[in-house]
Amino acid sequence: MKKAEDFSEWYNEIVERASLTDKRYPVKGMNVWTPYGWKIMRAIDACIREELDATGHDEVCFPLLIPEDQFAKEKEHIKGFDEEVFWVTHAGLTPLDVKLLLRPTSETAMYPIFSLWVRSHADLPMKTYQIVNTFRYETKQTRAFIRVREIHFFESHTCHVDYEDAERQVRQDYEMLSRLARKWCLPYLLLKRTEWDKFPGAVYTVGIDTVLPHGKTLQLGSIHQYRDNFSKPYDIKYEGNDGEHRHVHQTTFGMSERLIGAIVAIHGDDKGLVLPPDVASIQVVVVPVLAKGATDTVSKSARELTSELESAGIRVHIDERDIRPGAKYYDWELKGVPLRLEIGMKDIEKGVVTLVRRHCTEKTLVDRKGIADAIRGVLEEIAADLLADASAAMNANTVTVDSLEDLPDKLIKTGWCGSEECGHRIEDLSERDMIGTPIADEGYKGMCVVCGKPTTTPVFIAKAM
Ligand code: ZN
C-alpha cells in the first residue's frame, strides 16, 4: 500500500507490519501494546517526565475509578462527558450504591483530594502530573493510537493563587511543548478553540493540532485555563497572607498516545516507519557485512563498535542474525531505525564505517576513530531534517482563502468576525469543523467570509481525523 495513494489504509497497514500494536484484542478500540510499540511510548513518556520534573511538577498517580457524585459536581464537565463514560455498576454480585466510572480524564478524581492538600498560599503553586490510561467510549471508527477507547494519557494539573499566575503556567506549558515537539520532530499549531468547542468546564481551551499528509488535522493535546470553575464546586481554597480564604485558579495540559500516531503518519513512508532519534528505542543498528574467510574479524569489529556506542549513551543494536544483509536492511527500515551502520572487511581496512540514514537512504562514510561523537552529530542532523521536512509539508498543506467554494483537502485559514452565528455558517458551508483562532496576533487583515465585516481574526477550519 502506497502512502500517497491511500493514506488511511497505509497507516493501518504500517502500524501492524512494524509491530507497533496488536489490534486482535477482543474489545474494540482497546489494543495491545507490543514490546516495540511500548518502548517507543516509554521513550515519549521519558521526554515528558524529564520536562515536567525540570519545571517543578511532581508526578502523582490517582485511582482509576471515580464515584458518580464526585463526577457530577461540575455541571458543564459532566454534560461534556456523559456519552463517553464507561460505568462500573456492580461489586461482585451486589449493585453499588454509588456507581463508579472509569476516568475519562482526572479532574474529578483529583480535585476532591486537592481540596485537602491545598491549605495556605505557601502550598501554591501546586504543580502535579500523571501518566495513566483513560477510557472513553468512542462511537466513531477506531484507529490505532489515534482513536481508541483505552488511551495512554499524560495530564498535568496545577493550582495557583490567582488568574495571572495560572496564565503564567499556560505560557510555561507552551514553552515545554515547543521543546518536546522539537524532540519528536512534530510541527503543530496552537489554536484557541471556539466557545462551543472548548473543554467542558474550561474558561478557554488551546488545542495542539497538526496536519496529516492527507490534509486532515489531528489534535495532539490541549492546554486549558479553568480559572476557579472547578475549585468552586470542589472547594479548593487557600488562606492568603491576609487571612482571607480564596479559591485557587487551575490549569491543565494533556497529550496522549496520539503522538505516536502523528509520528507514524507524518514521518513514515512506503518502506515503513521513520522514527525521530529521541523516540527510537533503537537509534542505531549495526549490521556486520560478513565475507568468506573474514567473518571473525568483521564480527569482532562490529561488536567493538556496538559497545563503544553503547558506552557513549547511544541506543544501539547489533543484528547478528544468520540471514542476508538485504533482509536485515528491509526489517530495520520497516521499523524506522533512524541510522544504520554497515561494517565489512573493506570498511575495516580503510578505517571507516558506512552510514545509511533512514529518512533519505543517503550513504556516507565516517571515520571509525571518534565515531561516537560523529554519530551523535548525525542523529541531531536527522532530527533537524525530519522537523524541517514535516514543517514544510504542513505549510504546503495549509491555504488561506476568501471564499468557501471548492475548498481543497487541506487546512483552511479564512476571515471570521467572531460571531457564533457566522461561525456555525462557516462550518455548514465548508462541511468542516472550526478548530480555532491563533493564540497570538498575526497581523491578519481580512473580511469575515460569511458577513463581510472587516476582521483581524483568522480562523482555521479543517476536517479532523
Ligand atoms: Zn461574520
Side-chain angles (χ1 to χ4, degrees):
M1 188 57 65
K2 294 247 189 296
K3 187 180 183 182
E5 283 167 14
D6 189 337
F7 166 75
S8 199
E9 270 311 302
W10 167 86
Y11 178 89
N12 288 343
E13 195 180 299
I14 219 74
V15 292
E16 290 206 90
R17 280 184 50 221
S19 311
L20 276 187
T21 189
D22 194 327
K23 292 189 273 193
R24 291 171 297 182
Y25 193 73
V27 180
K28 190 179 178 229
M30 297 190 182
N31 302 325
V32 177
W33 286 100
T34 58
Y36 195 59
W38 188 238
K39 281 188 186 112
I40 294 167
M41 193 69 243
R42 282 180 37 160
I44 292 175
D45 289 347
C47 297
I48 292 173
R49 283 197 169 93
E50 190 185 3
E51 190 61 56
L52 273 283
D53 292 349
T55 47
H57 294 73
D58 288 313
E59 186 167 3
V60 293
C61 192
F62 273 71
L64 162 65
L65 295 174
I66 302 172
E68 184 180 24
D69 50 347
Q70 291 301 330
F71 185 63
K73 272 190 178 169
E74 209 294 322
K75 298 286 175 287
E76 290 295 316
H77 189 67
I78 181 158
K79 252 195 295 170
F81 282 103
D82 236 1
E83 291 174 7
E84 297 187 357
V85 162
F86 285 98
W87 288 101
V88 175
T89 58
H90 285 70
L93 299 174
T94 316
L96 293 170
D97 291 341
V98 179
K99 283 192 296 178
L100 302 169
L101 62 115
L102 305 187
R103 62 176 161 234
T105 169
S106 300
E107 282 76 2
T108 61
M110 291 175 151
Y111 297 171
I113 301 302
F114 280 11
S115 76
L116 305 173
W117 286 358
V118 175
R119 282 277 156 259
S120 88
H121 62 94
D123 298 325
L124 300 173
M126 188 177 81
K127 296 160 64 158
T128 66
Y129 74 97
Q130 65 178 10
I131 299 178
V132 293
N133 285 11
T134 57
F135 296 80
R136 292 187 193 181
Y137 178 65
E138 277 290 349
T139 48
K140 290 189 195 167
Q141 193 191 2
T142 57
R143 188 182 298 279
F145 306 116
I146 289 179
R147 193 173 296 286
V148 289
R149 290 177 174 172
E150 179 169 359
I151 311 157
H152 184 77
F153 189 60
F154 143 76
E155 52 184 327
S156 75
H157 293 258
T158 65
C159 299
H160 305 267
V161 288
D162 56 18
Y163 188 80
E164 251 324 296
D165 200 51
E167 286 291 281
R168 270 193 285 278
Q169 183 57 50
V170 168
R171 290 193 290 272
Q172 185 180 58
D173 292 347
Y174 297 157
E175 288 163 18
M176 291 192 287
L177 174 66
S178 111
R179 289 187 290 264
L180 287 167
R182 185 165 289 276
K183 288 185 177 174
W184 303 328
C185 309
L186 291 176
Y188 62 92
L189 295 162
L190 287 174
L191 297 175
K192 200 166 195 172
R193 293 287 189 257
T194 59
E195 277 301 304
W196 59 92
D197 193 30
K198 68 185 184 185
F199 184 75
V203 174
Y204 67 81
T205 289
V206 173
I208 305 160
D209 299 286
T210 195
V211 186
L212 299 186
H214 62 336
K216 288 188 181 174
T217 53
L218 182 68
Q219 181 177 355
L220 300 176
S222 43
I223 293 166
H224 310 288
Q225 163 68 270
Y226 291 161
R227 201 172 54 205
D228 50 6
N229 287 358
F230 283 91
S231 64
K232 280 183 175 158
Y234 287 93
D235 203 32
I236 312 174
K237 280 192 289 205
Y238 70 97
E239 188 179 333
N241 269 331
D242 52 8
E244 290 286 314
H245 288 85
R246 295 186 188 86
H247 288 104
V248 298
H249 288 242
Q250 293 177 281
T251 77
T252 58
F253 172 20
M255 291 184 292
S256 74
E257 63 180 80
R258 274 192 178 180
L259 292 165
I260 292 192
I263 286 167
V264 171
I266 289 174
H267 301 304
D269 61 21
D270 292 342
K271 290 185 192 168
L273 308 179
V274 177
L275 296 175
D278 271 307
V279 166
S281 62
I282 300 172
Q283 296 172 311
V284 176
V285 62
V286 174
V287 180
V289 184
L290 304 176
K292 277 210 178 78
T295 51
D296 287 351
T297 318
V298 173
S299 289
K300 184 165 167 283
S301 181
R303 282 174 205 165
E304 279 167 7
L305 171 64
T306 304
S307 63
E308 189 176 325
L309 295 177
E310 208 163 31
S311 317
I314 293 163
R315 297 194 286 271
V316 58
H317 173 78
I318 181 168
D319 187 351
E320 295 193 276
R321 290 177 297 167
D322 187 17
I323 56 174
R324 288 179 304 108
K328 295 180 184 180
Y329 302 162
Y330 177 88
D331 282 353
W332 298 115
E333 282 170 0
L334 175 60
K335 290 204 174 278
V337 171
L339 190 58
R340 180 171 84 225
L341 302 187
E342 300 169 9
I343 183 161
M345 212 44 226
K346 273 189 191 146
D347 298 304
I348 295 168
E349 281 160 7
K350 286 188 206 149
V352 296
V353 175
T354 303
L355 250 70
V356 188
R357 290 161 164 82
R358 169 64 181 88
H359 70 293
C360 59
T361 52
E362 183 186 273
K363 269 195 186 202
T364 47
L365 297 177
V366 65
D367 283 340
R368 174 67 184 79
K369 202 161 168 256
I371 193 163
D373 284 342
I375 296 292
R376 262 197 291 266
V378 172
L379 290 174
E380 275 170 27
E381 278 169 33
I382 290 174
D385 286 354
L386 287 179
L387 181 57
D389 289 352
S391 302
M394 190 168 93
N395 288 340
N397 244 335
T398 307
V399 290
T400 305
V401 302
D402 50 21
S403 146
L404 296 177
E405 273 166 44
D406 299 321
L407 295 175
D409 286 330
K410 293 183 176 196
L411 174 64
I412 310 286
K413 185 179 177 180
T414 191
W416 177 40
C417 65
S419 84
E420 182 156 349
E421 197 187 337
C422 286
H424 290 308
R425 191 86 185 113
I426 290 173
E427 291 187 316
D428 290 345
L429 289 171
S430 65
E431 296 175 330
R432 284 162 171 77
D433 295 321
M434 259 188 156
I435 55 172
T437 56
I439 55 161
D441 183 4
E442 296 180 344
Y444 180 86
K445 280 202 181 74
M447 289 188 300
C448 175
V449 72
V450 174
C451 71
K453 235 188 245 169
T455 179
T456 53
T457 308
V459 67
F460 284 88
I461 56 176
K463 290 182 176 161
M465 181 83 184

